Structure formats: structure tokens, C-alpha cells
Amino acid sequence: MHMHSASSEHQHGEIGEIRYRRITAIWKGSLCLLFLVLCVLLLWIIVAGQTENVEKIYYPMAAILGMWMVGPFFFMFLNRSLQRSTVLLSWDEQHLHAGHRDLPWDQIRKIELTTPAQSKWQLSRSPMYAIYLKDGTRVHIHSDHLLGKKRLLHSLALLQQTLRGHQKMDRD
């Protein structure tokens, strides 16, 4: 997580931001790619006829399950490593900038760290920031497994502290 002063050259003149490290996305994506290559290799072994009868059952099952479980992560990490910006969230005095949305501080009720109740396709659930708005809606910012637990908790505390400061200013 990087903190920048208001004099930094950013699109919104941010005071703070939460970033992931591009190298993290690259090495996690590389590990996924290696695993996918191994899955393809298992399929190639079957096609080349280098297997016994029992292996002809287990190898394709292992390869397909491996691709199903790791494939989406590969594309997620590839996308994150190719994105121009590594900022997950940023904020200034007036707004919290979440993706393409600018959320005014006075419209935010609370910010929590959560995980989806159930992941689509039974994949590993990525921690996300849940931003609860006063109108009852919620905005989710996914961390995509790019921040460690310590950084997630530290950044959550920083966001909550910033929100409390704005809520206190609104009451005064």
C-alpha cells in the first residue's frame, strides 16, 4: 500500500491509495500458467498413447479439473498484470474512488473486509472491500488475491479511520 501526498500527480489529486504490486500478479499468473502447461502435458501424454488403461481415466480428469480450477486465476492475474494502473482504491478529501465510481464520503456508511458468500464455480474466494452506502446499496472492490492479509487489514484500518474522520467533520 502506498500513500501519496495531495501534491502527487494523480487523476483525482488523491490523498491516499491502495495499490497491489504488479510483480505479485505476474508471479502468481506465471505459477498458474505453469500449472496449465502441466495439465496440457497430461492431455498430450494420453493423445501420444504413453499411458496405461487406468491412467487414461485419471489423467484427463486431473487435467480438466486443473484447468477448471486454475484457468480463471491465470486470466485474472494476466489482466491485473497488464492493466495500466495498479490502484485498487484511492481517495481525496471529497470522494473515495472505487474503480470507475466516485463515492462521496458523506454517502458512505461503513467499510468492511469480506469474502463472497459463495464463489462462482467453487473457486477460491478473494477478499474484498465492501463499501456500504447510506442508500442501502453496497460497492465491492475485489482484491483478487493480490494483497496479503497484513496489507488488507492495514489498508482497511486506514480506510475506516479516514471514514471516521469525515463522519466526525460532518457531525461538527
Side-chain angles (χ1 to χ4, degrees), residues 1 5 11 28 31-32 39 49 56 65 69 83-84 88 96 99 101 106 125 129 133 136 141 144 156 164:
M1 177 172 49
S5 67
Q11 182 179 2
K28 285 186 175 189
L31 287 175
C32 290
C39 291
K56 287 182 181 177
L65 280 173
M69 298 296 282
Q83 284 183 352
R84 182 172 284 193
L88 290 176
L96 176 68
R101 293 186 65 178
D106 63 354
R125 299 176 301 170
Y129 298 97
L133 303 177
I141 306 299
D144 292 339
L156 175 65
R164 280 192 300 273

Side-chain angles (χ1 to χ4, degrees), residues 27-44:
W27 76 260
K28 285 186 175 189
S30 298
L31 287 175
C32 290
L33 179 62
L34 177 64
F35 193 82
L36 290 173
V37 168
L38 291 173
C39 291
V40 170
L41 183 62
L42 279 176
L43 292 175
W44 179 252

